[in-house]
Every structure is written in structure tokens, then in C-alpha cells.
Amino acid sequence: MTSSIKNVHIVGGGLAGSEAAWQLAEAGVPVVLHEMRPVRGTEAHLTENLAELVCSNSFRSDDAANNAVGVIHEEMRRAGSLIMRAADAHKLPAGGALAVDRHGFSAAVQETLLAHPLVTLERAEVAGLPPDDWDSVIVATGPLTSPALAEALAKLTGEESLAFFDAIAPIVHHDSIDLSIAWKQSRYDKGGPGGDGADYLNCPLDKPEYEAFVAGLLSGDKTEFKEWEHNTPYFNGCQPIEVIAASGPQTLRFGPMKPVGLRDPRTGTRPWAVVQLRQDNALGTLWNIVGFQTKLKHAEQVRLFRTIPGLQNAEFARLGGLHRNTFLNSPRLLDVTLRLKAMPRLRFAGQITGCEGYVESAAVGLMTGRFAAAERLGRALAAPPSTTAMGALLGHITGGADAATFQPMNINFGLFPPIEGAFKGKERKQAMAARALRDFDHWLGEQHAPLAA
């Protein structure tokens, strides 16, 4: 009887907290989900909704045969993930990626959780450490953990919180884009979930236009850091575009502005550089500028981005921004089931653990929810094998990484153990992906009572 099972408390209603709540509730364990918004806002969130996407609307590659991100997508689906269910239900055209309508996605997650009889939502900040009588807690406060809780954790662990800056890309109104210049095409005409191979809008730049744009990025007026923020490193996967440009004049042409696989229909040739926009909502009225996270001041963004051909009349629904993210030194502080060694009643999930990315955060939430459910129900639950995407990510967070140099990490095949056999290139990735899904299915089957719905 679930009435005799004590609540598990979850602090934070982002992707990780929402997924953890779902896994617990589906296992028959009652959950109290604590979300401080709208009582207390953050520097990046715009709404009070659970599972709000504050940066990109892309869950990245959905290719489960060749890409580690696609593998973790599929593992989550097989484990009954609410996040993946909502993403699949609200997908948008995005080439080989899984992009979602951010508002439909968030609404679906929230409605599903609130409809579950074992989930209770409380809108209030948990300031400092959770109360002592909460004997099982999942902290999923994300990279924007409230100062009171972050300070309490630092005192408890004796560790200085590590931090990095995460920048947000601008969003443009579709009807302000000049479609006589911009054209629709995915690189190499590649299709994907919800797409047809022409899923991006492309704005071409010739060499002088590109060079002028780079010069504008480097000289543009930028957000000033507070004194305590100056030495905070950026995460390599989410660097501001002007930071990338500062590393060399051609760097952007081999990064977010690379023109490979694209051909301007007006000239029949490949441009010198390209700015891509990806659909951001189901109506197709909003498009985000891919890879253009920035710390330029707002007026400077409007001025500079309107020098891009096709965006000369751009109207912005949201300009780029910058916020400070914090995360634990997890290899030193957490055990293999994501419990805090200094206080085992606390588990951690999501970006605060040092994973990076929407799906990685949700995947860690999924695992944390299952570990907490098994503990509540008196079951033994081993961690997923290191050969799986979830297991590889968990291993990196809880000991695979060097604690002295620990930095946030996306899922990638470099975290997986080597595979035997004479595989080369793409074949090696395909073999590792197949092994991961096979071993993940075996892990799910070993559980006494599967937690998937």
C-alpha cells in the first residue's frame, strides 16, 4: 500500500526534478516536488512552469545508431521517461536533431505530473539544507541553485562550488526574416524527427561581411562581470560567440557559422559563412539563432545581428543573455547512487551534478529517481552498466572524471569503455550504440519490478 510509504522530497522542478518525480511516482512512491518559482525567480527562467527550457529548444541528435546523444534518448524512452514522452509529442523540424516546442513541452510535463495521484507540488523556496525530518531528498536545483542552498552545501562539504557561465541565444520573429536572402536547408539535406531535410533557415555571408561581423563581435560592448565572476570558466559546449571569435579570425567558420553542406540557391555556390536559425515553436513564428549565445549588451546585439544578410530587419522575441551556473565536484562528493557522502539522505540530480545538456540532466534525474525508489521500497538496484549511455555518464560524474579538473560534460562515446573488435570510424560508434541498448535492456530486465510504466 502506497499510503504506508513515506514521501520522497524533490527540490527543483526542472527537467531532472520532473523526471525523478515521475520515476518515483510510477514506482508507487509518493513525491513532494518543491519548486520555488514564482515565489522566487531566477536569472534565466521566464515562467513558473515545470521543466522550462531556458536556453536552446533542441535535445540534439536523435540518431540512436550513430550518436551517443541519440543513444541516451532511446535508453530514456525504454525506461519510461516522461521528458522523452513530452519531447516526442511536441517535436519540431530540426534536421537530424530532436527539437521541441518549448511551451507545449513544458505544459505536457507539468500537466502529466500534476495529474498523478502520488505527486504533490509545493511552490516555495527550500532555503538552506532540507529539514532533518526529510529522510530522503533529491536536490535537482540545476545550475541556478539558490544562494542559500548553495552556501549551505559549500559549508557541509567543505568544497568550493565550481562554476561556469552559460549564455542564451537570441530568438527572432519569423516574419521579420528576409526570405529573399535566407533559404531553408539542412546541412547535406539531412532529415530527422519531425523534419524533411530543409529544417533550418540559412543567412549567407561573403568574406567581407564575415570579417566585418567578427570585428564587430570583438569590439562590441559586452556585459561586465562582477569581481567574483572574473575567473569563472566557460563550458566549452556553450561558449559565447564572441569568446569563440576571439580564439581566431576563422574559428566561427569552423564552428557555428560553418557553411559545409549548404548551397545558396541564388548563386548555386557555398557561401563563405552561414548563420543558421532553427524553429523554436510549433507555430513556426519564432526561430533561434543557432550557436549564437552571447554576452553582448542588448543594444549591441540588435545592431550587430542586423548586419547579417537576411536579418537586416530582424525583430527579436528574446535577446541573448548570460547567467552563472554552479555545480558540485561530484567525483569527490557523490557516491555511485548519487548520494552526498557527507549527508546520504541527500541525492543530487541534473546539472548541479556536473552533467551538461537537457537530456543528460533528465537522464541523471531518471537514475536518481530510480535509486531513491528502490531504497524506499527496500530493493537492491545496481547502477546501469558503464557500457550504456546512462551508465557511462553516471560513471563520469561519480568517479570517472578527475576531481581536480572536473568540468561539466555532455554524453559522448569517449565516456564509454572500448569495444572489442576491428571496428573503424562509423562502424565503431554503431557497435557501441548497439551494445549500449542491448546492455540497457538487460539492466531493465534484471530489476525485480521494472519502474517503467
Side-chain angles (χ1 to χ4, degrees):
M1 295 288 293
T2 57
S3 59
S4 65
I5 302 174
K6 290 183 64 177
N7 293 328
V8 171
H9 293 266
I10 299 176
V11 184
L15 274 72
S18 296
E19 184 64 57
W22 178 251
Q23 295 291 325
L24 279 154
E26 286 292 276
V29 178
V31 177
V32 180
L33 180 58
H34 304 266
E35 170 53 53
M36 70 179 184
R37 292 174 293 121
V39 177
R40 180 183 178 121
T42 75
E43 296 170 332
H45 290 88
L46 299 177
T47 77
E48 62 183 57
N49 296 339
L50 300 179
E52 179 184 340
L53 304 181
V54 299
C55 191
S56 167
N57 70 324
S58 176
F59 282 31
R60 311 193 326 277
S61 175
D62 202 44
D63 184 352
N66 297 283
N67 190 290
V69 179
V71 174
I72 208 167
H73 284 184
E74 182 58 25
E75 289 180 2
M76 292 173 69
R77 290 184 179 107
R78 296 183 184 192
S81 167
L82 172 60
I83 294 300
M84 290 307 300
R85 178 198 296 185
D88 289 336
H90 295 276
K91 62 188 175 185
L92 298 172
L98 175 59
V100 304
D101 178 323
R102 64 178 72 234
H103 300 297
F105 165 80
S106 177
V109 172
Q110 180 159 301
E111 290 168 7
T112 304
L113 281 174
L114 294 184
H116 201 293
L118 294 181
V119 176
T120 301
L121 176 62
E122 293 192 358
R123 298 278 189 180
E125 179 183 0
V126 177
L129 293 178
D132 291 339
D133 59 346
W134 295 6
D135 66 332
S136 180
V137 183
I138 294 173
V139 180
T141 47
L144 301 177
T145 297
S146 69
L149 179 55
E151 182 180 353
L153 290 171
K155 288 181 179 178
L156 174 65
T157 62
E159 294 292 328
E160 290 296 326
S161 292
L162 302 179
F164 61 95
F165 284 108
D166 191 13
I168 299 173
I171 294 178
V172 178
H173 289 282
H174 180 268
D175 60 9
S176 70
I177 302 169
D178 188 343
L179 299 182
S180 70
I181 297 174
W183 76 97
K184 293 192 75 174
Q185 184 186 6
S186 301
R187 285 197 174 90
Y188 302 106
D189 303 306
K190 184 176 181 180
D196 59 7
D199 303 331
Y200 292 80
L201 281 170
N202 301 278
C203 298
L205 292 84
D206 59 25
K207 185 176 180 181
E209 289 167 337
Y210 171 80
E211 292 175 345
F213 180 76
V214 170
L217 282 174
L218 298 178
S219 64
D221 196 11
K222 301 171 182 67
T223 301
E224 294 182 3
F225 297 147
K226 298 174 184 177
E227 183 177 352
W228 50 268
E229 294 176 324
H230 278 291
N231 295 323
T232 305
Y234 293 104
F235 171 57
N236 288 336
C238 200
Q239 287 186 317
I241 190 169
E242 61 274 8
V243 173
I244 300 173
S247 63
Q250 301 302 313
T251 309
L252 290 176
R253 294 186 61 240
F254 293 90
M257 295 178 70
K258 60 180 179 288
V260 297
L262 299 169
R263 190 172 297 273
D264 187 339
R266 299 177 304 163
T267 64
T269 61
R270 186 173 81 178
W272 182 257
V274 166
V275 172
Q276 286 198 311
L277 294 93
R278 180 179 56 232
Q279 187 175 336
D280 199 76
N281 67 339
L283 295 175
T285 56
L286 300 176
W287 290 66
N288 67 65
I289 309 180
V290 178
F292 265 48
Q293 50 270 10
T294 180
K295 59 191 179 80
L296 288 171
K297 291 187 175 179
H298 284 182
E300 197 76 342
Q301 291 181 46
V302 173
R303 182 195 66 78
L304 184 61
F305 295 159
R306 283 180 178 167
T307 68
I308 298 169
L311 299 183
Q312 64 272 15
N313 299 312
E315 296 295 333
F316 296 90
R318 183 186 72 187
L319 288 163
L322 188 69
H323 52 271
R324 186 178 190 266
N325 289 349
T326 57
F327 58 96
L328 296 173
N329 191 333
S330 294
R332 186 171 290 152
L333 301 180
L334 302 184
D335 71 13
V336 72
T337 66
L338 297 159
R339 293 181 301 185
L340 187 67
K341 295 174 184 177
M343 186 176 283
R345 71 185 177 94
L346 303 184
R347 278 188 166 87
F348 287 81
Q351 281 187 266
I352 195 172
T353 66
C355 67
E356 176 61 25
Y358 290 145
V359 292
E360 289 88 342
S361 297
V364 176
L366 187 153
M367 289 185 282
T368 309
R370 283 176 169 249
F371 289 140
E375 183 178 72
R376 255 311 179 242
L377 298 171
R379 302 174 186 161
L381 178 61
S386 62
T387 51
T388 67
M390 285 199 210
L393 184 62
L394 179 66
H396 175 79
I397 291 170
T398 60
D402 184 350
T405 58
F406 183 59
Q407 282 290 308
M409 180 66 71
N410 292 118
I411 187 64
N412 62 83
F413 281 122
L415 300 182
F416 291 60
I419 190 166
E420 296 182 1
F423 301 108
K424 294 182 179 179
K426 194 173 183 179
E427 289 183 351
R428 175 178 163 274
K429 292 181 178 179
Q430 291 173 343
M432 295 177 80
R435 178 186 65 178
L437 296 178
R438 182 176 62 250
D439 291 354
F440 191 79
D441 283 343
H442 183 69
W443 177 72
L444 286 176
E446 283 184 333
Q447 297 174 29
H448 296 299
L451 301 184

